[in-house]
């Protein structure tokens, strides 16, 4: 298993959790973004910069993800593609995207896009809180533990 991070919009606190987990579990973790992202010195953590543009980082992740890999993203279409490739997708808020819930999440996302396009102000997501951080850390730990058991 490798961990891929859609780092363009990933909160710093989530990256820090990932850095600690990557070193502790010795799992290769790659952050992908179209701008420079600082990563700590580690043989397990790397950064891949892609060119600027719509979905360039997402496309690079989809190209490189393999069955069993974990992708950290809040991008619903990216999560859908990861699931199609037999990967696991986890949001920075700790929501595990699955075959059972991804299509409804895509429908909600598309509906909200339509609302915004018609001029309705829908607001953004609430700020990441301590519960979100804990949910993320717990899910990440379960995924890593399950992976380690299958090695």
């Amino acid at each position: 298993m490798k961990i891929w991070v859609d780092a363009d919009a990933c909160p710093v606190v989530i990256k820090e959790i990932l850095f600690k987990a990557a070193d502790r579990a010795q799992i290769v973790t790659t952050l992908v973004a179209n701008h420079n992202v600082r990563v700590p010195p580690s043989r397990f953590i790397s950064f891949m910069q892609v060119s600027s543009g719509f979905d360039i980082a997402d496309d690079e992740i989809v190209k490189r993800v393999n069955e069993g890999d974990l992708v950290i993203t809040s991008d619903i279409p990216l999560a859908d593609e990861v699931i199609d490739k037999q990967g696991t997708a986890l949001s920075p808020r700790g929501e595990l995207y699955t075959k059972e819930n991804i299509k409804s999440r895509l429908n909600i996302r598309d509906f909200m896009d339509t609302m915004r396009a018609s001029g309705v102000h829908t607001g953004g997501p609430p700020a990441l809180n301590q519960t979100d951080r804990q949910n993320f850390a717990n899910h990440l730990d379960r995924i890593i533990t399950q992976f380690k058991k299958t090695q």
Side-chain angles (χ1 to χ4, degrees):
M1 175 176 83
K2 292 183 180 176
I3 298 175
W4 299 93
V5 183
D6 182 7
D8 283 323
C10 187
V12 172
V13 66
I14 299 303
K15 290 177 196 167
E16 291 170 358
I17 292 169
L18 286 163
F19 296 155
K20 289 176 186 171
D23 278 333
R24 183 186 76 246
Q26 299 182 348
I27 295 176
V28 173
T29 300
T30 305
L31 286 78
V32 182
N34 62 21
H35 64 280
N36 194 32
V37 174
R38 293 181 58 170
V39 298
S42 169
R43 65 185 186 130
F44 300 105
I45 302 167
S46 64
F47 167 66
M48 177 187 301
Q49 186 165 359
V50 297
S51 59
S52 294
F54 187 69
D55 287 342
I56 301 295
D58 298 354
D59 293 343
E60 190 65 33
I61 291 170
V62 169
K63 183 171 85 175
R64 294 173 180 266
V65 72
N66 291 308
E67 180 178 342
D69 285 355
L70 172 62
V71 175
I72 309 303
T73 185
S74 56
D75 186 286
I76 307 296
L78 172 56
D80 186 39
E81 289 187 80
V82 168
I83 291 167
D84 284 346
K85 290 188 77 175
Q86 307 301 311
T88 301
L90 179 65
S91 84
R93 294 181 180 276
E95 179 182 2
L96 187 64
Y97 301 114
T98 65
K99 286 182 181 181
E100 292 74 32
N101 70 15
I102 195 65
K103 298 305 180 196
S104 65
R105 297 287 290 137
L106 275 169
N107 288 336
I108 292 167
R109 176 199 172 273
D110 292 344
F111 173 73
M112 297 305 281
D113 278 351
T114 302
M115 296 289 287
R116 284 188 290 273
S118 65
V120 175
H121 183 358
T122 59
L128 198 69
N129 61 37
Q130 187 59 39
T131 301
D132 296 327
R133 293 178 199 146
Q134 191 63 52
N135 286 340
F136 177 81
N138 289 343
H139 259 112
L140 180 63
D141 188 53
R142 282 193 291 272
I143 292 166
I144 290 172
T145 300
Q146 185 63 36
F147 167 70
K148 291 292 187 180
K149 284 182 183 178
T150 63
Q151 276 191 316

